[in-house]
Amino acid sequence: MGLVMADDAKHRNVLAAIVYRLRWWLVTGALLVAFTLWTGEFHQAQTTAILASTLRHSTPLVLGALCGMLGERSGVINIGIEGQMLMSAWGGFMVASATGDLLIGVLAGVAVGMLMGAVLAGISVGLRGDQIIAGTVLNIAAIGITSFFFTQGRTLPSGKLRPIRLGPLADLPVAGRVLFSNKPITYLTLLLVPVVWFGLFRTTWGLRTRAVGEHPSAAETVGISVVGMRYLNLILGGGIAGLAGAYLSLEAVGSFERGMTNGKGFVALAVMIFGRWNPIGAWGAALLFGYASAVQTQFQFRDWLTSDPQFVGMIPFVVTIVVLAGFVGRARPPASIGQPYSRE
Amino acid sequence: MSQVSEATPALEAIGIHKRFGGVVANDDVNLRVEKGRIHALLGENGAGKSTLVNILFGLYRADRGEVRVAGEVVNLGRPRDAIDRGIGMVHQHFQLVPVLTVAENVVLGDEPSRSHTMFDFGAARRAVQELGERYGLEVDPEAVVEDLPVGTQQRVEILRSLYRRADVLILDEPTAVLTPQETDQLLEVLRGLADQGVAIVFITHKLREVLAIADEVTVMRDGRVVGSTTPGETDEAGLAEMMVGRSVVLRVSKTPASPAATVLRVNDLCVDDDRGLRAVNELSLEVRAGEILGVAGVEGNGQRELVEAVTGLRSVVSGIVEMDGHNITGLSPRQISELGMAHIPENREKHGLVGAHSVADNLVLNQYYRAPFARRGFRRMDTVTEHSRSLVADYDIRTPDVFTPARALSGGNKQKTIAAREFSQGARLLVAAQPTRGIDVGSIEFVHQQLIDQRDRGLAVLLISAELDEILSLSDRIGVIYGGRLVVVADASDLDRIRIGRIMTTGSHDTPAT
């Protein structure tokens, strides 16, 4: 009995600690929701639209940030996320269009992303090349390849991925549409955030990853293969970026367009840094960016506050900047990022 | 002669050869380490000690020769192989991940886990506690490594080897970064480990430690083993001679000082450290021309902040620093340097040299911008080269040529480069912080002799050192710093080792107030 009670107390403390640590995120979240309600003037439909759009906009950013995080936590800067996403969006679309099967398309996108991750690892870890150059190579190659092999007029025979309604939960007001009737990759993203967090901070793989990213020679002297860990993480990360690409072409748009990633891979890097290389933090940061985009879209759709549209349109960005500058504080990247590793 | 043990040695290296490019680092090296014994490996920097132990730990591969663990020939291709054979190593530059906790660092690579994936932090914490109790190495398992003092970090390194059941422990210059107190504690711990049957290889170039702790001594020079002995058979002078290959003056001879006018006067100085805490507290001191004032103290008692405030690198909270009667408080480091203050900084890699730049550029780092080294904004490379060549010759700086990047030099030669630069500009005052830290005996001798010579030429020297021997052998007057205050200042002849040690550690002195 005593043991159980002690456990309970411990859990309460842990919960309190988490709430305390995330207090600024919670405050911001509350402020944003309040702002949304205000702009929607309690019109449920508008509020719901903004929140649902926030989640959609944030999905590729979170995935991109998780990809960058796996790389940087193990010591490799990945500025090629944009290219990985673009290649996967294209690859996933082409395969889905040819086979007519969306699932195979998504898997193809992930596979292309992993391949891109392997290329990045080959240049920056295997050949010990400059990591920034390696990432740039990925981005340029992706633009070239996808443009060259792009054929106008291809479509998806089965249409794009469709929402999955989670039973009665989907009928709840606001939350039902925002959280419980999304498309598969959005659900998967919501699942990946805690999974990657748990992996990084609660498993031996995560401990080794962080050790390799902070002090590779220390990891090597206790028998961890620095090269092996970096390959593994870059390929896993590539897979996640691949999912982001598949999201763009197969879930959000339903076709492929030249340069359709439109800088999302770079915004994802910013999201990762704002989130302090932590999946939960990155998720919060991505929601903030997503919210800014969503509000902007909403204002374009409806002619709200036409007297001073620029001013209102500015608010979410001001909120983003103030919030990020105000309490994200000094973020410290993993110590060894950017440096190729060699033993002797 | 030393007695030959009948038992199989715990670790044995036979005929090890290793070359890097054209340099032979190890030439037919033999080493025999017995269970439960402390084996000191002595030699100057570059003698091949580190190469040898890196081979024993599987970081380098020998070109020829074999390694035996408990009599069995082993192939050590990578550190893992050595770890699996029970060899542990405490590296000179700690191999700890600063942002992880003690427990995580200790178990890294061999983590306790649930179902092979989930890291079991509780088990790691218990393991660290148990090991700590068993070997007298208590460390808080949940502390983050970067918050710990250097001596404690070293304990974590030792714990890490013990966690892997090491029965041979190699320590690469473990005392180079420690204070005297921490060194004593470490030697005690090592003795305890040896008593429990661990074989210990202890690399150092500090003779006092060898005599204090070693059971056996192997001396290396220029990649070869030049002799083996035991502390009972030799003394400091004997070891130094084996190590350097000629007889060495361990204590510089000097004539009594003839101090003249006051050059540096510090009055009621208060300085904060990086965290905004008061590090130097109403400290006053004077240094006269032609004398050496030695400031002794355990590191972290405000020495760094004092030096940085005097040299203009750190802003002063209150108080006055005067040089030759001019108030120099708040002047820039360059202005202060041009007034005639030379500075040998504590961290030579970080603050003393620009590692990527050539030896020549480093030798004119304090005057590259002015005549004769520059004219109308253009550098005059011929003059720089000529000047640096003559300094390299005068100060016996061992470098392939003056265009070699400074970072390629050994510690001793880096320090000589800094000394050459600082002494060559005709300074009135020298502030020297830890001037011989981590450099070899030959270079220490050279730097010490230079300090005395410069003093005799009328230089005022403020010497700050954690090495009590250095303070005692060089200083004309000695001050002891404790908690940011100079607790006592007296003529060197009025203070002895024991009393200074007591004041350094307790901050109080038992002499009645005068």
Side-chain angles (χ1 to χ4, degrees), chain A residues 198 202-205 207-208 210-211 214-215 217-224 332 343-344, chain B residues 58 60 77-78 80 83 91 94-97 99-100 108-109 111 117-119 146 160 164:
Chain A
F198 187 86
R202 289 291 181 273
T203 68
T204 52
W205 162 75
L207 182 66
R208 291 175 183 200
R210 287 180 290 138
E214 289 289 341
H215 197 330
S217 66
E220 188 83 43
T221 52
V222 291
I224 297 169
R332 190 168 69 167
R343 265 174 68 186
E344 268 187 40
Chain B
Y60 300 160
R78 54 201 181 109
R80 187 80 237 175
I83 294 169
H91 300 263
F94 295 157
Q95 298 295 324
L96 298 172
V97 182
V99 298
L100 297 185
L108 185 66
E111 305 89 350
T117 49
M118 273 174 281
F119 174 53
E146 65 188 341
R160 195 172 66 166
R164 290 170 172 74

Side-chain angles (χ1 to χ4, degrees), chain A residues 4 19-20 30 34 54 68 83 97 118 164 168 206 244 246 272-273 281 311:
Chain A
V4 175
V19 168
Y20 180 74
T54 298
S97 161
I164 303 171
M272 170 195 74
I273 294 167
F311 179 74

Side-chain angles (χ1 to χ4, degrees), chain B residues 360-472:
Chain B
D361 282 348
N362 275 288
L363 282 168
V364 294
L365 205 55
N366 51 354
Q367 38 190 344
Y368 68 92
Y369 54 90
R370 62 182 187 208
F373 304 113
R375 183 185 283 168
R376 294 188 203 93
F378 290 94
R379 301 187 59 200
R380 304 182 67 206
M381 298 313 293
D382 289 351
T383 324
V384 172
T385 308
E386 197 182 310
H387 173 75
S388 51
R389 286 217 169 103
S390 79
L391 285 182
V392 163
D394 289 353
Y395 286 83
D396 188 29
I397 299 167
R398 310 267 171 89
T399 172
D401 63 56
V402 296
F403 306 114
T404 305
R407 77 157 83 84
L409 302 188
S410 73
N413 283 304
K414 282 178 185 156
Q415 199 68 323
K416 285 185 195 172
T417 305
I418 295 170
R421 173 181 75 217
E422 297 298 324
F423 290 149
S424 67
Q425 61 160 359
R428 302 261 305 121
L429 170 72
L430 169 69
V431 179
Q434 322 290 356
T436 59
R437 168 166 295 169
I439 65 178
D440 55 275
V441 175
S443 301
I444 290 175
E445 181 192 11
F446 182 88
V447 170
H448 283 179
Q449 196 55 54
Q450 278 293 328
L451 288 176
I452 299 290
D453 291 351
Q454 296 291 334
R455 178 203 75 166
D456 291 345
R457 270 174 232 158
L459 190 75
V461 180
L462 175 61
L463 170 71
I464 286 146
S465 177
E467 296 283 345
L468 209 39
D469 290 326
E470 183 163 271
I471 296 280
L472 285 167

Side-chain angles (χ1 to χ4, degrees), chain A:
Chain A
M1 279 312 285
L3 197 74
V4 175
M5 279 168 66
D7 254 21
D8 266 10
K10 208 171 115 194
H11 283 145
R12 265 204 306 281
N13 285 339
V14 168
L15 194 67
I18 289 174
V19 168
Y20 180 74
R21 243 185 17 220
L22 297 178
R23 62 196 183 282
W24 288 109
W25 288 115
L26 296 175
V27 167
T28 313
L31 277 175
L32 292 184
V33 169
F35 179 72
T36 311
L37 291 174
W38 173 66
T39 53
E41 292 163 57
F42 294 97
H43 290 301
Q44 210 189 65
Q46 286 151 8
T47 308
T48 309
I50 288 185
L51 291 180
S53 161
T54 298
L55 197 63
R56 281 200 307 275
H57 279 291
S58 73
T59 297
L61 301 181
V62 181
L63 290 172
L66 291 179
C67 162
M69 204 176 294
L70 290 190
E72 296 210 358
R73 280 286 184 177
S74 66
V76 182
I77 298 175
N78 182 357
I79 65 156
I81 302 171
E82 176 87 2
Q84 293 177 316
M85 275 164 56
L86 188 62
M87 278 290 279
S88 309
W90 169 78
F93 173 76
M94 294 302 267
V95 169
S97 161
T99 60
D101 190 326
L102 286 170
L103 179 64
I104 294 182
V106 171
L107 291 177
V110 171
V112 169
M114 292 173 93
L115 197 68
M116 292 290 276
V119 171
L120 178 69
I123 301 174
S124 62
V125 182
L127 301 174
R128 297 198 280 273
D130 186 284
Q131 297 175 1
I132 301 294
I133 307 249
T136 309
V137 164
L138 250 54
N139 289 333
I140 294 173
I143 292 172
I145 292 171
T146 56
S147 301
F148 185 77
F149 290 106
F150 175 64
T151 33
Q152 207 85 42
R154 265 187 178 275
T155 53
L156 293 172
S158 50
K160 55 181 178 174
L161 289 164
R162 270 180 272 280
I164 303 171
R165 291 171 59 85
L166 293 183
L169 286 174
D171 297 328
L172 291 170
V174 187
R177 244 208 74 198
V178 175
L179 292 174
F180 303 115
S181 60
N182 282 304
K183 297 179 181 179
I185 298 181
T186 307
Y187 284 128
L188 199 54
T189 304
L190 291 176
L191 197 67
L192 266 176
V193 169
V195 165
V196 172
W197 180 87
F198 187 86
L200 275 176
F201 297 106
R202 289 291 181 273
T203 68
T204 52
W205 162 75
L207 182 66
R208 291 175 183 200
T209 294
R210 287 180 290 138
V212 165
E214 289 289 341
H215 197 330
S217 66
E220 188 83 43
T221 52
V222 291
I224 297 169
S225 164
V226 174
V227 170
M229 285 306 286
R230 289 185 172 175
Y231 262 96
L232 175 67
N233 280 310
L234 286 174
I235 291 172
L236 285 178
I240 295 178
L243 206 54
Y247 168 86
L248 291 175
S249 62
L250 302 179
E251 183 166 308
V253 181
S255 75
F256 180 81
E257 295 153 21
R258 285 200 176 96
M260 75 184 301
T261 44
N262 196 21
K264 289 190 176 61
F266 294 107
V267 176
L269 268 182
V271 162
M272 170 195 74
I273 294 167
F274 289 148
R276 293 182 172 189
W277 290 266
N278 182 315
I280 313 286
W283 187 56
L287 285 179
L288 210 57
F289 274 91
Y291 178 78
S293 314
V295 169
Q296 190 197 29
T297 318
Q298 282 295 314
F299 274 72
Q300 280 169 2
F301 270 161
R302 303 150 205 265
D303 281 345
W304 279 351
L305 294 171
T306 39
S307 61
D308 208 352
Q310 281 90 355
F311 179 74
V312 176
M314 191 179 74
I315 291 176
F317 297 98
V318 172
V319 169
T320 308
I321 290 169
V322 168
V323 159
L324 293 176
F327 65 75
V328 166
R330 210 185 57 181
R332 190 168 69 167
S336 81
I337 60 171
Q339 302 154 14
Y341 177 75
S342 64
R343 265 174 68 186
E344 268 187 40

